[in-house]
Amino acid sequence: MAHVKLHIPGPVEVSEKTFKAFCSPMIGHRGQGFKDLYAKIQPQLQQLLYTKQLVYLSTSSAWGVMEGAVRNLVHKKVLNCMCGAFSDKWFDVAKKCGKQAEALQVEWGSPIRASLIDAKLATGEFDALTLIHNETSTGTMSPLAEIAALKQKYPDVMFIVDAVSSLTALPIKFDELGIDVLLAGTQKAFALPPGLAVFAASPAALAKAATTKDRGYYFDFVEFQKNAEQSMTPSTPSISHVFALASKLDEFFAEGLEARFARHARTNQLTRDWAAKHGFLLFPEPGYESVTLTCVSNGARPGGRVVDAAKLQKLVKDQGFLIDGGYGKIKGTTFRLSNMGDETEATMNQLYAALDKAMAQL
Ligand SMILES: *Cc1c(COP(=O)(O)O)cnc(C)c1O
């Protein structure tokens, strides 16, 4: 069956080069080969997260670490900042972990603003918050620097940040921001196959985790720290993913991080231009649009073009590209186009050509 190229916002298209690295011959996870592999990528990961802290490898999707962060770091009550499907779900996950949790809900498409968080944290009820930097369901990016600045005012609150669909596409400076946990699954902006997550934790987060009862084993941050100090993981990792990650990191640094960030900004602008050319509005509040995907309004916002999204998706698929038809309660009234991973102006232009052709057939 012919492969349909992924332009959905995760998982994204995986290159042949990455698959080749993924299929490297297997090695033991307690042997020198694995330790050398992890030790080689550790400084690259630290550079990517702009941190001196260790970066951990979790064989799980992002949700493993998202749940793990709650289990390790919430003693009193967690504030879940919610502005879309993924951030909304984190609230449910916190409750399922038996934690006291409160929803800070804004309308889908709006970002989370620091002033809202400030008002909540001022009550003194919370010892942790969860935030999604780039809410993939709505294509909306919250102002991370503005929010992280609150950490100085509330040093005992654990700032847990999901950068699943943004890390590698723009600078996220873990140490400088002063946040406590930064995590990402690797099937989105990293363009790896699904199944691996990376994260960093602040010294304060690690110290707090060590005092947390019932934090479990698989996502115990203290176990990650102890093992990573020996260039190992707590349990057998997906070694194939680590080979693929090593290959990908070499690519990132061969291109240069700045060039990579600039490429995402350019390809994202092209997608916004494509939408505007056809009379569509964008779904996110202006000024808070994601740089890794474009959530196009297709009736969700007043005004702007409206088309049969399912038909558009099918016409594009017939030409070999998979786009997303909208997520959750905005399915159909939005659709999403991803420029994450390896996409360039040249490859994005192929997508726009297919979209143009489909639009002409609607
Ligand atoms: C995709 C996504 C997740 C969930 O990732 P899984 O890999 O399915 O666990 C969480 N947060 C954001 C922002 C995402 O885009």
Side-chain angles (χ1 to χ4, degrees), residues 9 61-64 66 86 132 134-136 162 164-165 187-188:
S61 80
W63 274 115
M66 292 163 80
F86 293 105
I132 289 188
N134 191 57
E135 175 52 72
T136 318
D162 162 326
V164 172
S165 58
Q187 80 277 24
K188 297 198 181 163

Side-chain angles (χ1 to χ4, degrees), residues 43-202:
Q44 294 175 309
L45 288 166
Q46 288 172 318
Q47 213 177 322
L48 185 64
L49 275 71
Y50 296 82
T51 185
K52 292 194 173 66
Q53 303 303 316
L54 291 171
V55 179
Y56 307 114
L57 305 174
S58 173
T59 298
S60 65
S61 80
W63 274 115
V65 182
M66 292 163 80
E67 174 173 317
V70 167
R71 291 196 66 184
N72 277 268
L73 298 175
V74 179
H75 293 181
K76 281 195 324 197
K77 192 175 181 186
V78 59
L79 181 68
N80 299 111
C81 304
M82 293 152 60
C83 60
F86 293 105
S87 48
D88 289 10
K89 186 169 160 186
W90 217 343
F91 175 57
D92 293 332
V93 169
K95 287 186 293 186
K96 282 185 178 170
C97 292
K99 302 296 183 184
Q100 293 286 322
E102 188 172 320
L104 171 55
Q105 179 88 62
V106 301
E107 252 179 68
W108 282 28
S110 293
I112 302 288
R113 301 301 307 263
S115 53
L116 294 174
I117 296 176
D118 193 5
K120 286 289 182 186
L121 295 186
T123 63
E125 287 177 36
F126 302 96
D127 68 339
L129 70 82
T130 64
L131 175 81
I132 289 188
H133 174 225
N134 191 57
E135 175 52 72
T136 318
S137 64
T138 65
T140 307
M141 212 150 61
S142 286
L144 184 55
E146 173 190 310
I147 292 165
L150 289 172
K151 176 72 188 176
Q152 292 193 358
K153 198 168 164 190
Y154 304 102
D156 296 334
V157 176
M158 291 286 124
F159 279 50
I160 304 165
V161 179
D162 162 326
V164 172
S165 58
S166 52
L167 186 65
T168 85
L170 73 172
I172 303 179
K173 301 188 176 180
F174 183 72
D175 290 352
E176 197 177 303
L177 289 168
I179 54 183
D180 293 291
V181 177
L182 181 67
L183 69 100
T186 53
Q187 80 277 24
K188 297 198 181 163
F190 279 78
L192 293 182
L196 183 77
V198 300
F199 70 103
S202 68

Side-chain angles (χ1 to χ4, degrees), residues 310-329:
K311 197 167 172 200
L312 175 68
Q313 196 181 24
K314 184 183 179 304
L315 288 168
V316 174
K317 191 174 176 186
D318 290 344
Q319 299 174 72
F321 300 93
L322 188 66
I323 63 167
D324 172 84
Y327 196 102
K329 66 185 182 191

